[in-house]
Amino acid sequence: MNDWPDGWTDDGGNGRGRGYGRGSAGGQPEGARVMRHVQRPAAPQHGGIPPQQRGYDQGYAEPGYDSGYNTGQVYGGTGRGGAGIPPQGRPPRQPGPAPDWRRRFKVGSILVLVAVLATSIGTYFWADSKVRREVDLSKVIERPGEGDCTTYLIVGSDSREGMSAEEKKKLHTGSAEGKRTDSMMILAACSSGNTMVSLPRDSDVEIPTFVGSESGKTFQGTGRRVKLNAAYAEDGPELLVRTVEHNTGLRIDHYAEIGFAGFAGIVDALGGVEMNIEKGFKDKKSGADFEAGKQTLDGEQALAFVRTRYAFAESDLARTKNQQKFLSAMASQAATPGTVLNPFKLYPVMGAGLDTLIVDKDMSLFDLGEMFFAMKGVTDGEGTSMNMPTSGSNGGNLVWDKAKVQQLVKQIQNDEKVTVSDK
């Protein structure tokens, strides 16, 4: 097979040609040949692969023949038949689809919602497990009928449970064994407005027939009259509730009690509670030493503020008013977004309170929250705060004004706006 184009020959196979040209060994150059013009195919559009290239003797060489000549074009990469894709033919990067922000927002919202729900559920079970439901109101006998409002008996006890000797000294609590009521108040959560009624510990009341909370034995009433705090000292929360209901005619739906340590702990966890003290006072027994004006009380100062009685001419009546003011201010501050939405503040506050909070067996976290916000409502001007109306004293004990007490109880039972005054 002759691999040379027409007019190009070797010299009979001896490897030497007669004319100039590829493989020629002749002395004279061969006459110039007119090379056929090769029309190069147009470059493919958008990165298409060009057809297989041929040498200068296109049309004569067999497929796959490499003439050894270079056109000067440099191709990158390889394609079919060894041909590369020219840079100018590379496809431009196609833009990706636009971000679906609506979908991303939906997914993000769902993730946030799931996180909030998980946190809320976890917080609920954590808090619920810490509540001490130790008071059994089913042991209270001869109870008044239910009213339209939800009523709470809130008790501050002088319990020193969990306190070290150093803490007792610092908080001026003394070291007496057992516990007694240091403050008592009825909170009525009503649609017509919340009402907070303080019950002076020196109130003159009758101890009725009751069933012992531990023994289950019935103790017949004899008309014996004592100070209200004696009922708690005699048989605890159940007898206190029984005595309050018997002397007022108002049914108590829930009971909540907190000791010294828990009270001071809540205040410190809040970072203190701001109070405006109208007139300065001192009291060595409680450790109180306050100047008039706006100030932030820490746990130690707050406890001294609500326990002071001997610095006032009205004694216990003045103290109960201070207790109402402080509890309302504390509830108002604790219910702010800065506390409720800040886990680094909310958990310490809840932990400090729940560790020493004692409630009745039917008290749910919802009931506890309602009580808390009802106290806040009194501070915000949505309710009334007052002492139980009194009409005089009996051997040092404060005697309640029966007519006013009956009117007050009726208004609470019927969810009416309270118009009774303690003056």
Side-chain angles (χ1 to χ4, degrees):
M1 177 178 176
N2 186 359
D3 291 336
W4 298 98
D6 293 343
W8 290 49
T9 62
D10 58 15
D11 64 339
N14 60 5
R16 298 194 306 173
R18 292 185 300 230
Y20 281 86
R22 184 169 181 171
S24 172
Q28 297 295 328
E30 181 181 69
R33 282 185 85 238
V34 178
M35 298 296 293
R36 182 170 56 181
H37 176 68
V38 179
Q39 179 69 37
R40 185 175 302 279
Q45 297 298 318
H46 304 296
I49 300 175
Q52 183 175 352
Q53 304 296 321
R54 299 182 183 179
Y56 76 94
D57 49 352
Q58 182 175 354
Y60 298 96
E62 291 182 353
Y65 170 77
D66 184 1
S67 67
Y69 283 82
N70 194 311
T71 65
Q73 268 189 307
V74 179
Y75 298 146
T78 58
R80 290 182 303 173
I85 303 176
Q88 66 270 25
R90 283 182 183 162
R93 177 173 295 182
Q94 297 296 325
D100 189 347
W101 294 109
R102 182 176 298 179
R103 180 175 180 276
R104 292 187 181 185
F105 178 77
K106 288 182 179 179
V107 172
S109 299
I110 292 173
L111 292 176
V112 171
L113 179 61
V114 170
V116 170
L117 287 176
T119 302
S120 300
I121 293 172
T123 299
Y124 177 89
F125 284 106
W126 169 78
D128 192 67
S129 67
K130 295 179 74 66
V131 176
R132 298 169 57 181
R133 296 182 174 91
E134 300 176 3
V135 179
D136 189 356
L137 294 184
S138 67
K139 295 179 180 179
V140 180
I141 61 174
E142 301 178 12
R143 310 194 66 185
E146 295 184 359
D148 294 332
C149 301
T150 301
T151 54
Y152 302 83
L153 180 60
I154 303 173
V155 174
S157 76
D158 64 359
S159 171
R160 298 152 179 85
E161 181 182 356
M163 297 176 64
S164 65
E166 183 179 351
E167 289 173 328
K168 292 176 184 177
K169 182 178 179 180
K170 178 182 177 182
L171 298 176
H172 301 273
T173 64
S175 300
E177 297 296 327
K179 60 181 181 179
R180 288 162 293 280
T181 54
D182 206 59
S183 62
M184 294 163 283
M185 60 187 68
I186 295 173
L187 175 65
C190 309
S191 60
S192 60
N194 303 318
T195 301
M196 186 181 291
V197 184
S198 288
L199 308 176
R201 55 185 283 176
D202 294 339
S203 297
D204 185 75
V205 295
E206 178 186 355
I207 297 293
T209 298
F210 69 95
V211 175
S213 59
E214 296 294 334
S215 65
K217 180 181 177 181
T218 299
F219 296 87
Q220 293 294 330
T222 60
R224 178 167 53 102
R225 303 195 72 84
V226 299
K227 292 182 178 181
L228 181 58
N229 64 342
Y232 182 95
E234 188 172 329
D235 197 47
E238 287 84 357
L239 180 55
L240 178 61
V241 171
R242 169 74 174 123
T243 302
V244 170
E245 290 186 343
H246 175 75
N247 286 269
T248 63
L250 181 68
R251 185 185 181 96
I252 300 300
D253 296 312
H254 294 291
Y255 177 92
E257 174 189 328
I258 191 166
F260 286 158
F263 180 82
I266 292 174
V267 175
D268 286 334
L270 282 170
V273 174
E274 187 176 76
M275 289 288 297
N276 185 21
I277 300 177
E278 297 177 359
K279 185 178 180 180
F281 60 89
K282 294 183 179 181
D283 181 19
K284 290 183 178 180
K285 291 190 176 182
S286 67
D289 187 2
F290 298 105
E291 296 181 355
K294 186 175 292 187
Q295 51 203 285
T296 299
L297 309 186
D298 61 20
E300 178 183 352
Q301 293 171 320
L303 193 57
F305 181 81
V306 300
R307 294 185 64 218
T308 298
R309 61 184 298 194
Y310 296 106
F312 310 118
E314 293 179 292
S315 186
D316 204 39
L317 292 177
R319 178 172 69 166
T320 55
K321 290 180 180 179
N322 281 343
Q323 290 170 349
Q324 289 181 350
K325 290 179 183 178
F326 186 85
L327 287 178
S328 297
M330 183 175 70
S332 182
Q333 185 168 322
T336 60
T339 298
V340 177
L341 300 180
N342 183 356
F344 298 102
K345 201 168 186 178
L346 176 63
Y347 280 81
V349 170
M350 293 181 65
L354 295 175
D355 280 341
T356 58
L357 183 66
I358 298 174
V359 300
D360 65 271
K361 293 182 180 296
D362 295 327
M363 175 84 90
S364 67
L365 287 181
F366 177 81
D367 296 320
L368 200 57
E370 184 183 45
M371 180 189 78
F372 186 78
F373 281 97
M375 285 196 300
K376 178 181 181 298
V378 173
T379 301
D380 295 341
E382 299 173 1
T384 303
S385 61
M386 59 186 294
N387 280 319
M388 184 64 81
T390 59
S391 59
S393 63
N394 178 21
N397 297 349
L398 294 171
V399 178
W400 292 352
D401 187 322
K402 291 185 179 180
K404 286 188 175 182
V405 170
Q406 290 176 356
Q407 183 182 359
L408 173 65
V409 169
K410 182 179 179 181
Q411 289 176 340
I412 292 175
Q413 287 176 329
N414 297 332
D415 195 358
E416 300 172 356
K417 184 176 178 59
V418 171
T419 59
V420 177
S421 170
D422 56 6
K423 303 299 184 182

